[in-house]
Amino acid sequence: MKKKVLLTILATVLLLAVFFAPIPKSPYRDGGTREYCALTYKIVDWNRLTTDGVYDATKIYWFPDNFKSTDELWAEEEQEVVHKFVGTQ
């Protein structure tokens, strides 16, 4: 009986680790964006060069958005980037 409870607890912990443990990927060559993926979420540490400077933010994308590529996520994220315009005469 004790072994069964112990195996159940061990299997539950292992299953939760698979679902929620983030796995880092190598940085992208767009300024240093990092991506950490798990089966239920994706963390993207944006560090992307834009025309106005560097966009630096950390976002969490939950299921089902975690299966989108970073290009698709950037297309959505780029709409929130505040662009500055400085004009001179």
Side-chain angles (χ1 to χ4, degrees):
M1 182 70 176
K2 237 181 181 180
K3 280 187 177 181
K4 197 175 203 179
V5 171
L6 185 61
L7 285 175
T8 304
I9 292 172
L10 185 62
T12 304
V13 168
L14 184 63
L15 187 66
L16 288 175
V18 167
F19 281 133
F20 293 105
I23 300 170
K25 292 189 176 182
S26 61
Y28 293 103
R29 293 183 181 179
D30 63 351
T33 298
R34 295 282 311 205
E35 185 177 351
Y36 305 91
C37 297
L39 287 177
T40 54
Y41 65 94
K42 179 187 285 191
I43 300 172
V44 180
D45 184 15
W46 295 106
N47 193 12
R48 192 167 180 130
L49 299 173
T50 62
T51 56
D52 299 327
V54 177
Y55 178 73
D56 187 23
T58 302
K59 301 283 181 143
I60 299 175
Y61 301 97
W62 296 98
F63 181 82
D65 290 335
N66 63 330
F67 292 112
K68 291 182 179 178
S69 69
T70 52
D71 292 332
E72 291 175 298
L73 294 173
W74 176 248
E76 296 173 6
E77 195 69 31
E78 192 173 24
Q79 297 171 0
E80 298 178 17
V81 175
V82 178
H83 296 282
K84 300 174 191 170
F85 177 75
V86 179
T88 58
Q89 192 172 13

